[in-house]
């Protein structure tokens, strides 16, 4: 493993562990209560529909099948809350690649190493990718275990497909934050722009299904390619995932080019 990747992973260690514990606690709490819902599905189904009327119901994914194991897993894990947590983690980690050390004045020291700017960005991006992948893999194992214990009756392959999408959508937004940080050197700006795009993209994808005026914008939302294939229900949406991967690769190369051309001041 390259020295800079190993060094960067060491810097990320506490953040990775902290976010992993938090996300795992959330998953454990919410998936552990499914047996109670399964025991009285009609009551919980009606309660969910009455609690989130109209547009709020659309934002939560419709809630039409929340009493089933598949619908519950989609709503609680893969629709909004866990993607939000993982995207927040990914963007935080992404800004720590370039923007945070530049603002803290430590990036100049890193740039004195015998590596060019392109390699610096790519190795920082690789460390970010590995940190995010570690959290995704551990939480996948946890979801598979809890789904089996709770008897959600969701095929393991579908859970793997959905969790892969979860990783990819977080990977996209984390790489976006890294690219914005590489282009501007500003952590707050990277988080604001990336977070705004994430929130806006999610709202457009969920409400765009029923609001014709914004339905065409769904194609520019990363969430369209994450949610539209419904992997928890239908398995692998390979084409959609390839779109997210391609967009992420473009962002990574944009980060390299932007950082190469910007005056950082070593």
């Amino acid at each position: 493993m390259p020295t800079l990747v190993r060094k960067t992973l060491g810097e990320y260690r506490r953040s990775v562990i902290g976010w992993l514990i938090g996300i795992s606690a959330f998953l454990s709490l919410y998936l552990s209560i499914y047996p109670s819902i399964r025991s009285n599905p009609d009551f919980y189904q009606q309660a969910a529909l009455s609690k989130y009327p109209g547009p709020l119901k659309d934002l939560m994914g419709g809630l039409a099948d929340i009493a089933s194991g598949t619908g519950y897993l989609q709503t609680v894990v893969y629709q909004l809350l866990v993607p939000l947590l993982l995207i927040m983690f990914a963007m935080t980690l992404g800004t720590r690649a370039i923007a945070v050390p530049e603002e803290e004045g430590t990036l100049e020291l890193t740039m004195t190493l015998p590596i060019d700017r392109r390699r610096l960005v790519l190795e920082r991006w690789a460390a970010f990718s590995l940190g995010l992948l570690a959290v995704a893999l551990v939480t996948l194992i946890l979801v598979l275990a809890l789904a089996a214990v709770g008897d959600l009756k969701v095929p393991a392959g579908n859970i793997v497909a959905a969790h892969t999408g979860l990783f990819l959508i977080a990977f996209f937004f984390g790489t976006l934050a890294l690219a914005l940080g590489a282009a501007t050197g500003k952590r707050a700006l990277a988080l604001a722009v990336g977070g705004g795009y994430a929130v806006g993209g999610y709202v457009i994808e969920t409400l765009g299904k029923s609001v014709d005026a914004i339905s065409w914008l769904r194609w520019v939302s990363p969430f369209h390619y994450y949610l539209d294939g419904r992997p928890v229900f239908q398995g692998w949406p390979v084409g959609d995932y390839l779109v997210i991967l391609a967009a992420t690769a473009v962002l990574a190369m944009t980060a390299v080019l932007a950082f190469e051309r910007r005056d950082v001041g070593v």
Side-chain angles (χ1 to χ4, degrees), residues 169 172-173 197 201 218-227 244:
I169 194 70
F172 172 86
F173 281 105
Y197 184 32
R218 293 174 61 205
W219 299 102
V220 299
S221 168
F223 282 97
H224 175 69
Y225 305 97
Y226 167 62
L227 292 171
I244 301 175

Side-chain angles (χ1 to χ4, degrees), residues 36 75 230:
S36 298
T75 301
R230 306 182 76 214

Side-chain angles (χ1 to χ4, degrees), residues 17-266:
I17 293 173
W19 278 93
L20 177 58
I21 292 172
I23 295 172
S24 297
F26 177 91
L27 290 169
S28 299
L29 174 64
Y30 278 89
L31 289 179
S32 66
I33 65 175
Y34 176 71
S36 298
I37 295 175
R38 188 183 60 227
S39 65
N40 195 352
D42 293 337
F43 171 78
Y44 284 103
Q45 179 71 62
Q46 188 58 41
L49 291 175
S50 60
K51 183 177 181 180
Y52 299 102
L56 284 179
K57 184 173 65 177
D58 293 335
L59 287 174
M60 293 299 294
L63 304 176
D65 199 28
I66 193 173
S68 72
T70 305
Y72 185 78
L73 191 66
Q74 173 63 35
T75 301
V76 171
V77 177
Y78 295 113
Q79 179 68 32
L80 174 60
L81 298 178
V82 177
L84 175 64
L85 291 173
L86 201 63
I87 287 170
M88 290 171 59
F89 164 61
M91 291 183 63
T92 300
L93 215 60
T95 57
R96 291 184 61 182
I98 302 294
V100 170
E102 183 172 351
E103 288 184 340
E104 293 177 347
T106 60
L107 184 62
E108 294 182 9
L109 179 61
T110 303
M111 292 178 65
T112 62
L113 297 173
I115 58 174
D116 58 28
R117 290 189 175 203
R118 177 182 296 254
R119 183 178 164 193
L120 186 151
V121 174
L122 289 176
E123 291 193 10
R124 287 279 197 174
W125 181 61
F128 148 75
S129 305
L130 290 172
L132 179 62
L133 181 61
V135 173
L137 287 174
V138 174
T139 53
L140 169 60
I141 293 170
L142 179 62
V143 171
L144 286 168
L146 291 172
V149 171
D151 195 25
L152 270 69
K153 293 183 169 57
V154 181
N158 288 16
I159 295 176
V160 173
H163 219 83
T164 299
L166 178 64
F167 167 75
L168 290 175
I169 194 70
F171 192 31
F172 172 86
F173 281 105
T175 303
L176 174 62
L178 187 152
L180 289 167
T184 66
K186 305 295 183 183
R187 173 181 179 271
L189 178 63
L191 290 175
V193 173
Y197 184 32
V199 172
Y202 181 80
V203 170
I204 287 169
E205 170 57 22
T206 53
L207 297 186
K209 295 178 180 179
S210 55
V211 180
D212 291 339
I214 62 173
S215 61
W216 63 275
L217 288 172
R218 293 174 61 205
W219 299 102
V220 299
S221 168
F223 282 97
H224 175 69
Y225 305 97
Y226 167 62
L227 292 171
D228 195 58
R230 306 182 76 214
V232 174
F233 295 88
Q234 300 175 8
W236 291 86
V238 176
D240 288 343
Y241 285 0
L242 288 176
V243 171
I244 301 175
L245 267 177
T248 303
V250 170
L251 287 174
M253 292 311 302
T254 300
V256 170
L257 295 173
F259 191 67
E260 283 184 327
R261 297 178 182 182
R262 188 164 63 84
D263 181 18
V264 179
V266 292

